[in-house]
Amino acid sequence: MGNKPILVVHGGAWAMPDDVISAHENGVRNALDAGWKILERGGTTLDAIEAAVMVMEEDDTFDAGRGSFLTCDGTVEMDALIMDGATLRAGGVGGVRHVRSAIRLSRLVLEKSPHVYFVGDGAERFAQEHGMKLIDNKELVIEREVVRLREFKAKLAAGGKDTTFSGGQDEIHPVGMSSHDTVGAVALDAHGNIAGATSTGGTLNKDPGRVGDSSLIGCGCYADNASAAASCTGWGEPIMKLVLAKSAADEVARGKDPHSAAREAISALKTRLNGHGGIILLDAQGRYGIAHNTPRMAWGVRSTDGVQVGIKR
Amino acid sequence: MGNKPILVVHGGAWAMPDDVISAHENGVRNALDAGWKILERGGTTLDAIEAAVMVMEEDDTFDAGRGSFLTCDGTVEMDALIMDGATLRAGGVGGVRHVRSAIRLSRLVLEKSPHVYFVGDGAERFAQEHGMKLIDNKELVIEREVVRLREFKAKLAAGGKDTTFSGGQDEIHPVGMSSHDTVGAVALDAHGNIAGATSTGGTLNKDPGRVGDSSLIGCGCYADNASAAASCTGWGEPIMKLVLAKSAADEVARGKDPHSAAREAISALKTRLNGHGGIILLDAQGRYGIAHNTPRMAWGVRSTDGVQVGIKR
């Protein structure tokens, strides 16, 4: 005990339009409140980040849980990962459709399975076998996203280009992508342990079965007390190719401060693959970094020093 | 052009009993032949490793493709990844049941999709949409594995312990695990490019939907001309937690020779997580390393200097 807890969350990095800024700020604040309640009474970092992420999954402001982008089939397919820096235990799921919280299921995998990662129907069978209620996918689908998908498809049909994955700087405002994104959290608890969690509904109009960086260990999420805890957001494929969360954490292990390591990770993402995204990074001393090369990123920090919330430009 | 091509393959690391050694040596040799034919006529590293891995998938000696371990449901579920070191493009699939070759489908993802990773039904839909024939899962199931699963379950029912994931040094000969394992290949072509590929049927009696290290970018496979190409085998979960392939490749980028980097990666696997496995590692100068801490590992190397094949003790 005796460590000074800290919680850092993000609510996605992309080109959020002005009219969703306050919803993002409120959502991030609510996530901080839920996680901090646990940390300040001496709870574990895993409990805190799970609670923080669940708040954002339930908030349809974010691309996670209810309110996520829809696949080309009009369904919600979610991916998530949670990792414990003290033991390197991790739990993740990819392509799940019938649970209310992908991060809750990931935590269940971490706690109850010798395995780290489950996908598709098998992940849902694991959920059911461990007492999680399976739900109708429709519970996760909201009208706003039905309209967004319909309009997106209409524009594609009219000859518009899906630039979601083209990566050009001029093209990071593709139809529908200027809205919401993946959520994540990293925390240090009073016991001196760090952990990371990431949850997402993926990208608009994605092919069913497509899994991005969020739930892949080392890519969209990582945690190791000996290096750092990280959660990424943004355009998934370049993040995957650089295994960005683990790479950034490794730089901290080699002596870089998390602020510089976060900035350099995002800089490498741009330089090597013309990628766009954001990262939050926290080490076991409570030092943290937040970086992104997207126009905006929703973020929040809570410690005994108080609360900071922002949509960085 | 003018680079001296080299191909390194592995046919799994575990405690292979004496009676399967010659089959492993022959299988590895056949894989080398298939890949080398492509490299020696100036073909690409991606074509060479895909061909080499496909030979091992078709050979029921190995835990990949036909002849893989069965899930607790008695089905074959396969995972694979292929990655191009020149461009960092990658393609992978997790939990596929109805394709003949998981590495062929992975290559298709690499070539034809803006995405990197597909799982489950969605991966198979992608296969079908791109001209791959879907097959009955029974085509992949062989009698030897049906018997193995039945005997394994009988022993569990009689109070035996599944020690597959316990990780103790005394327990690396659990029922059924003393047989075959994941396959992989790394190669350097005459154009100076390296690439890596890994394919697996996973572990005996696994829960459906469980995905191990093999198909996860950075874990069981990685490739970057600026560092190295790597393929891992062994007990998947600890390999995932250390993101082993990328970590080993990064050490090469920082100046370590691949031989030392491979040994140190396997040493870290044991020290930090009591993990067991093997790795092959190759850089763009054609320097390679092969390391494992399992009793045996099937491996082979082919270059203009000739062929070497072994089951290291």
Side-chain angles (χ1 to χ4, degrees), chain A residues 73 88 114-119 122 125 165 208-211 222 224 237 240-242 246-247 254 272, chain B residues 73 88 114-119 122 125 165 208-211 222 224 237 240-242 246-247 254 272:
Chain A
D73 286 351
L88 302 189
H115 301 312
V116 166
Y117 195 55
F118 282 89
V119 299
R125 183 159 130 184
F165 301 103
R210 176 262 184 184
V211 169
Y222 196 71
D224 182 350
E237 277 71 9
M240 293 166 73
K241 291 171 187 172
L242 296 181
K246 173 69 156 59
S247 298
R254 276 190 287 277
R272 287 214 66 186
Chain B
D73 286 350
L88 302 188
H115 301 312
V116 166
Y117 195 54
F118 282 89
V119 299
R125 183 160 129 183
F165 302 101
R210 176 261 184 185
V211 168
Y222 197 69
D224 183 350
E237 277 72 10
M240 293 167 73
K241 291 170 188 173
L242 296 181
K246 173 68 156 60
S247 298
R254 276 190 288 278
R272 287 213 67 185

